[in-house]
Amino acid sequence: MRDETKCLHAGYTPKNGEPRVMPIYQSTTYVFDSTKVVGDIFDEPTQAVIYSRFANPTVMAVEEKINALEGGVGAMCTTSGQAANLLAILNICKAGDSIVSTSQIYGGTINLFAVTLEKQGIECIFVDQDADEETISAAFKENTKAVFGEVIANPAMCVLDIEKFARVAHKHGVPLIVDSTFATPILCKPFEFGADIVTHSTTKYMDGHAVQGGGVIVDSGNFDWTNGKFPELVEPDESYHGISYTKNYGKAAYIVKARMQLMRDFGCYPAANSAFLLNLGLETLPLRMERYCENALKVAKYFAASDKIEAVMYPGLEGDKYYDLAQKYLKGCSGVISIIVKGGKEKAIRFMDGLKLASNEVHVADIRTCVLHPASETHRQLTDEQLVAAGINPGMMRFSCGLENVEDIIEDIEQSLAQL
Ligand SMILES: *Cc1c(COP(=O)(O)O)cnc(C)c1O
């Protein structure tokens, strides 16, 4: 099946007389015939659904759909994108380990890595994603367990050279984890370029309608966890009657461990209702992505032609620093554009406040056009140094094109720019 077909059919195939649409399994528990059956499931938990803290049929149908779109061996949904990135790391890192991450990533993830994981004893070493392989290699230590980057960085709109990072990661015997939130599986297939694990905040384009938050981790099944660096995936898990994930689950070792161990212990599993809504969003994802990209390219060109705009960061624009990488890795550059308004922070805020159609909201990749000023909103916790490292100019604003008629979006921009 192609993506459009998968979005409608993967993950759920009703049998004779069953509902056409995947129903909402609004039940926390499941009934079994005997104590022995329950005992057997505890021995082999992938065989049945036992409890909603880590599995639910409605959520699992969506997991299968996303897994099919990415081309992986398994997926696990979480309650947020933050939870997805947290569990993706914790599944292979413990206190005393380190990770290497690009610095041009989402502010929330920088916080998670630089502050919260640091407190748990996991060190993050940040590298410039445009650095050469030697410089990136220098960030690795004996205890490095993973490399992390964003396919399209939020909000810097840098495109990750996935093959370069996969090469460096694999040379050091560790997996490459990429957050593909802005690209979605429609615009990029990171596994085809060597990424090992993909995460998404499904809160953004995948849901698409700003109705529920969520995240997902997808496992390519391609990474060899038996290379000596990841004993927790190979050696018996004491908390699971001594099973070995690689021995029992082969290629799916990572994603099965994430569910059986981390989701069991942390319980950040989405509700069936949320998965039902996410599924509705996924059904139209290919159509919507096509239009977001089309609208954004027109808007980016409009911004680029305006003498009130100092810079436009949109990798779909010819001449953009990341144009070539976008051509190589992406089928489109999403609906998000970063711009710097001439006159810095104060003018950026005036421009934002002058918009009538585009709403000022703490969101991005929404069906409605929205704007945000990272330096004074989402990224206000970052120091000036971190802002620059994350690719954020204080005058930068993030313009997220929605699915309104693009002429209306441009007219709104026009009237607000005219007031500056
Ligand atoms: C929004 C976002 C996140 C965090 O996702 P939530 O669902 O808000 O927790 C992570 N990564 C990227 C790239 C994002 O845009």
Side-chain angles (χ1 to χ4, degrees):
M1 288 193 283
R2 277 77 167 175
D3 283 353
E4 294 79 357
T5 317
K6 284 179 186 169
C7 281
L8 293 168
H9 295 280
Y12 175 62
T13 311
K15 296 189 204 72
N16 185 47
E18 286 184 349
R20 173 60 275 185
V21 176
M22 181 62 185
I24 301 170
Y25 278 78
Q26 193 72 55
S27 179
T28 56
T29 51
Y30 308 87
V31 178
F32 299 98
D33 285 345
S34 69
T35 312
K36 176 171 186 315
V37 175
V38 179
D40 289 347
I41 297 168
F42 270 97
D43 280 344
E44 193 35 272
T46 56
Q47 294 308 305
V49 176
I50 43 179
Y51 190 53
S52 61
R53 196 191 319 122
F54 44 83
N56 169 282
T58 311
V59 185
M60 289 164 94
V62 174
E63 290 170 341
E64 242 184 272
K65 181 174 283 187
I66 297 170
N67 181 51
L69 286 166
E70 288 290 7
V73 293
M76 181 178 79
C77 283
T78 58
T79 44
S80 67
Q82 286 295 99
N85 284 332
L86 171 67
L87 296 198
I89 298 292
L90 288 188
N91 206 28
I92 44 175
C93 292
K94 58 179 186 326
D97 288 339
S98 70
I99 59 171
V100 171
S101 171
T102 63
S103 47
Q104 292 94 331
I105 56 172
Y106 173 62
T109 312
I110 294 180
N111 258 348
L112 171 64
F113 290 173
V115 182
T116 302
L117 283 186
E118 172 86 28
K119 284 187 205 159
Q120 311 305 317
I122 298 169
E123 182 192 14
C124 181
I125 298 157
F126 289 98
V127 294
D128 181 347
Q129 70 173 44
D130 299 328
D132 59 29
E133 290 186 35
E134 254 174 65
T135 312
I136 299 166
S137 279
F140 283 75
K141 303 204 288 193
E142 200 50 41
N143 65 0
T144 301
K145 293 293 168 66
V147 178
F148 184 94
E150 285 178 11
V151 172
I152 304 176
N154 174 9
M157 297 307 287
C158 314
V159 178
L160 189 73
D161 190 343
I162 303 172
E163 286 180 351
K164 175 177 76 177
F165 275 90
R167 252 191 327 269
V168 181
H170 296 159
K171 217 182 281 166
H172 291 85
V174 303
L176 171 63
I177 304 172
V178 296
D179 179 333
S180 196
T181 297
F182 277 9
T184 80
I186 305 304
L187 302 182
C188 182
K189 306 280 188 208
F191 295 156
E192 291 176 6
F193 302 106
D196 301 288
I197 308 293
V198 167
T199 63
H200 294 277
S201 163
T202 62
T203 315
K204 313 294 166 55
Y205 287 124
M206 284 175 139
D207 162 68
H209 299 74
V211 289
Q212 43 84 37
V216 68
I217 305 173
V218 192
D219 181 0
S220 69
N222 293 333
F223 192 80
D224 176 16
W225 305 105
T226 64
N227 68 2
K229 284 196 167 233
F230 303 93
E232 282 194 46
L233 278 109
V234 180
E235 284 160 18
D237 179 354
E238 295 303 324
S239 77
Y240 241 118
H241 53 77
I243 66 138
S244 153
Y245 294 101
T246 48
K247 233 176 256 160
N248 284 44
Y249 304 108
K251 278 184 169 301
Y254 174 93
I255 200 71
V256 171
K257 177 178 178 286
R259 187 185 303 271
M260 284 170 58
Q261 198 184 65
L262 296 185
M263 195 55 89
R264 175 199 65 189
D265 293 352
F266 292 141
C268 46
Y269 200 63
N273 241 302
S274 300
F276 182 84
L277 294 171
L278 172 57
N279 187 52
L280 286 184
L282 289 172
E283 289 184 338
T284 57
L285 187 65
L287 264 181
R288 290 188 291 109
M289 291 314 294
E290 199 177 307
R291 183 61 65 85
Y292 286 124
C293 295
E294 199 182 300
N295 281 359
L297 187 59
K298 286 181 186 155
V299 171
K301 283 181 178 162
Y302 181 85
F303 277 130
S306 165
D307 59 6
K308 297 201 167 140
I309 302 295
E310 187 179 309
V312 182
M313 278 72 72
Y314 187 69
L317 275 184
E318 259 176 86
D320 186 273
K321 187 175 173 193
Y322 296 97
Y323 181 79
D324 291 340
L325 287 174
Q327 293 295 308
K328 174 172 179 180
Y329 292 114
L330 307 173
K331 274 200 218 143
C333 297
S334 87
V336 187
I337 303 164
S338 284
I339 56 166
I340 299 170
V341 182
K342 276 187 192 160
K345 185 170 173 175
E346 184 244 321
K347 281 274 167 67
I349 291 171
R350 266 181 55 197
F351 170 63
M352 286 193 28
D353 289 347
L355 291 164
K356 291 177 178 153
L357 179 68
S359 40
N360 196 329
E361 62 187 52
V362 183
H363 194 34
V364 64
D366 188 7
I367 200 158
R368 285 156 287 262
T369 296
C370 59
V371 290
L372 180 139
H373 184 236
S376 55
E377 296 171 0
T378 47
H379 290 64
R380 61 183 299 130
Q381 75 282 358
L382 300 190
T383 63
D384 283 355
E385 258 174 16
Q386 281 176 318
L387 278 178
V388 172
I392 299 161
N393 178 300
M396 183 208 270
M397 54 174 286
R398 195 177 66 189
F399 195 97
S400 174
C401 290
L403 299 186
E404 298 91 346
N405 186 298
V406 69
E407 297 306 326
D408 290 326
I409 300 173
I410 290 174
E411 277 172 26
D412 189 33
I413 294 168
E414 199 171 21
Q415 64 81 25
S416 189
L417 282 179
Q419 295 176 51
L420 292 186

